[in-house]
Amino acid sequence: MAKVRVPVTAGVLLALAAVAGCSSEGSPKAVGPTEAISVAPTVKVTVTDFPTRYPILPAPTPTLTAPVVDPSIVLGGSLRAYLPTEETVPSGWTLNGKYGPSTPSDSGKQVLSATTGLGPTAPCSVMNNLTVLDGYAAYARQDIRSTDSEHAAVVTVASFRAGDAAKQLGLIRDFAARCPSFTEKGTGQGHSDIEMRLVAKPVAGLGDEALDFKMLPEGGYLGTETILVRIGDRVLDLLVNSGKSGEFPDAVSLARELAKPVK
């Protein structure tokens, strides 16, 4: 059977930027690694620039405005400090270099702006593109796998503007409650449709809040499980796949270990 496409956080987890947490409603907590945010200045043009069509118009003079810097967002390079390494990866797991480099990736000095449109009027099929990295966020990401090579996982830590992480998890939670199932068009064998069930539930005692949801396809395809852990304005996004037998690893326990260094 062909595998279901695994929804990976966009660069940007979004999403979920991203990505990658600070008090749930107030000012951000102090973070370990920090880095100044560098945002290119915005250019505002006061006159439409079309001198080739209307040569009598003077060329516009750009007006430079100071960039808006949000100190609550930690940039991608600094977020790598929250990711597992060969020395800190939880027992039973290792860094995954089987299908690519085992080094982490990140959003660099950029703050991403993206959305998947998970609003109250969005069709349920949008869940296939789920990313935690909606809004403005930075992220860092590391691939890991179980030592028995049964499961692969993607660990993303995203950093949001103050208050945005809580809003994003609320949006995902509400969307999952509204859409317990959906049809994924043309992704099965022979471009057939796949019926997808979504099982979502909160996880107690993990971060400021945590959500565990599974995407379970009908017809023998591999499913995915995602654990989202919000720690202030940072979000740990753990995405794991079911094994050949269709069983999932203990993703909640894995997320508890991975969330410990996130501040």
Side-chain angles (χ1 to χ4, degrees), residues 47 122 137 192 217 224 241 254 257:
V47 181
S192 61
T224 62
N241 72 292
L254 179 59
E257 291 298 315

Side-chain angles (χ1 to χ4, degrees), residues 25-217:
E25 298 296 337
S27 300
K29 293 179 182 176
V31 296
T34 58
E35 185 177 341
I37 295 178
S38 175
V39 182
T42 302
V43 177
K44 292 185 177 180
V45 178
T46 57
V47 181
T48 304
D49 188 8
F50 49 173
T52 56
R53 294 182 60 187
Y54 300 91
I56 61 173
L57 290 178
T61 302
T63 301
L64 299 181
T65 59
V68 177
V69 176
D70 192 325
S72 64
I73 297 180
V74 176
L75 296 181
S78 295
L79 291 172
R80 288 191 180 206
Y82 301 137
L83 296 174
T85 65
E86 291 182 354
E87 292 75 25
T88 64
V89 65
S91 176
W93 293 82
T94 185
L95 301 189
N96 191 0
K98 184 175 181 180
Y99 300 107
S102 59
T103 55
S105 59
D106 63 70
S107 54
K109 296 183 179 296
Q110 296 181 340
V111 176
L112 307 177
S113 176
T115 180
T116 51
L118 297 180
T121 61
C124 290
S125 58
V126 174
M127 181 58 76
N128 182 56
N129 298 320
L130 175 66
T131 172
V132 72
L133 294 174
D134 275 16
Y136 291 90
Y139 77 92
R141 178 177 297 139
Q142 175 67 65
D143 291 348
I144 62 175
R145 63 177 173 84
S146 58
T147 51
D148 62 5
S149 297
E150 181 74 6
H151 304 282
V154 180
V155 183
T156 304
V157 179
S159 176
F160 290 83
R161 294 185 300 188
D164 280 4
K167 292 178 183 178
Q168 179 61 15
L169 258 69
L171 186 64
I172 293 173
R173 187 169 51 247
D174 293 345
F175 193 92
R178 182 171 68 85
C179 296
S181 63
F182 64 93
T183 301
E184 192 174 65
K185 296 289 187 179
T187 58
Q189 284 191 325
H191 302 289
S192 61
D193 297 343
I194 298 176
E195 293 301 315
M196 192 77 68
R197 259 188 327 119
L198 181 65
V199 179
K201 60 182 181 180
V203 180
L206 183 53
D208 293 319
E209 62 177 314
L211 180 67
D212 175 3
F213 62 88
K214 295 178 180 177
M215 296 178 69
L216 305 172

Side-chain angles (χ1 to χ4, degrees), residues 230-260:
R230 184 178 66 81
I231 304 166
D233 289 312
R234 318 281 182 260
V235 173
L236 170 74
D237 180 348
L238 172 64
L239 173 69
V240 300
N241 72 292
S242 60
K244 297 176 182 177
S245 63
E247 298 296 321
F248 290 96
D250 187 352
V252 172
S253 293
L254 179 59
R256 289 188 190 278
E257 291 298 315
L258 294 169
K260 288 179 178 179

